[in-house]
Amino acid sequence: GWAFDRFVAGGERAGGLALIFGAAVFFAALAGLILGRQWEPPLRGEHPIPLAETMRRPFGDRRFRRLLLFLTLWSMATGIAGPFFAPHMIKNLGMSFSAIAFYSIVAGILNLGTLPLWGKVIDRVGNRPVLVVNLLGVSYLPLLWLFAGPGRLFPIWIDAALTGLCWPGFTLALFNLVLATAPE
């Protein structure tokens, strides 16, 4: 964000975008190399099943169908709203790319810090209660944006902190529920 702001200030927006996308490609390739070296245990006792059976089997479970419906509706809602947050930060709130990057860093660090805590809570109370509590949390986060404005960004920083607190519990519990409801 800081580098892009400098390129834009110097009238080199295209150069800034090239730098950002070049860095993204480099780090994606690096991540691919690292993940490619990760050890995976050999599969034993697995019997391949036909593709049609693989696709049909999960839909035979009522709990999985309900979870799939929830995921579909949730993805539609977040997929429609999500792309508008960054343009709103830039155009309406007047945030620099550095500030937007810092917002993501704050949320990301808190995400990494709270994820193990949510794992321990899930081990104690289960996935569904954690999912419900965090769903309520993330559902109300957009309301903070109503109180933000140019020069009044405090609600955005509260959102960054609560994003780092609520989203990890939501995504971890949801991932666990998908694994728990899917057939082996």
Side-chain angles (χ1 to χ4, degrees), residues 75-157:
S75 296
M76 288 172 58
T78 57
I80 290 169
F84 294 101
F85 283 90
H88 177 63
M89 290 170 138
I90 296 165
K91 187 171 183 171
N92 301 326
L93 301 180
M95 293 175 69
S96 67
F97 288 97
S98 300
I100 294 170
F102 187 68
Y103 167 90
S104 298
I105 290 168
V106 168
I109 288 172
L110 289 171
N111 187 317
L112 288 172
T114 59
L115 194 57
L117 301 174
W118 283 118
K120 290 176 183 174
V121 172
I122 287 171
D123 288 343
R124 283 197 183 135
V125 301
N127 292 304
R128 193 175 178 127
V130 170
L131 180 73
V132 169
V133 165
N134 285 290
L135 176 62
L136 290 172
V138 299
S139 295
Y140 287 103
L141 287 177
L143 293 177
L144 289 169
W145 291 70
L146 296 174
F147 303 102
R152 195 175 60 248
L153 299 177
F154 187 69
I156 301 300
W157 302 116

Side-chain angles (χ1 to χ4, degrees), residues 3-183:
F4 186 69
D5 284 341
R6 298 298 151 287
F7 273 92
V8 170
E12 292 292 330
R13 184 180 195 93
L17 289 171
L19 174 73
I20 290 169
F21 286 113
V25 167
F26 171 77
F27 286 110
L30 182 63
L33 290 172
I34 291 169
L35 286 172
R37 295 178 49 94
Q38 181 174 334
W39 180 82
E40 287 288 333
L43 295 175
R44 289 187 213 124
E46 293 288 321
H47 301 287
I49 58 176
L51 180 60
E53 175 66 13
T54 302
M55 299 301 288
R56 185 195 60 74
R57 190 180 294 176
F59 292 101
D61 185 327
R62 183 171 112 8
R63 293 179 319 145
F64 185 77
R65 285 193 313 268
R66 288 179 58 204
L67 183 61
L68 185 62
L69 176 63
F70 167 75
L71 278 170
T72 301
L73 295 174
W74 182 255
S75 296
M76 288 172 58
T78 57
I80 290 169
F84 294 101
F85 283 90
H88 177 63
M89 290 170 138
I90 296 165
K91 187 171 183 171
N92 301 326
L93 301 180
M95 293 175 69
S96 67
F97 288 97
S98 300
I100 294 170
F102 187 68
Y103 167 90
S104 298
I105 290 168
V106 168
I109 288 172
L110 289 171
N111 187 317
L112 288 172
T114 59
L115 194 57
L117 301 174
W118 283 118
K120 290 176 183 174
V121 172
I122 287 171
D123 288 343
R124 283 197 183 135
V125 301
N127 292 304
R128 193 175 178 127
V130 170
L131 180 73
V132 169
V133 165
N134 285 290
L135 176 62
L136 290 172
V138 299
S139 295
Y140 287 103
L141 287 177
L143 293 177
L144 289 169
W145 291 70
L146 296 174
F147 303 102
R152 195 175 60 248
L153 299 177
F154 187 69
I156 301 300
W157 302 116
I158 294 172
D159 175 76
L162 292 175
T163 292
L165 176 67
C166 295
W167 274 106
F170 177 81
T171 55
L172 182 61
L174 188 58
F175 180 74
N176 288 344
L177 280 172
V178 169
L179 292 180
T181 59

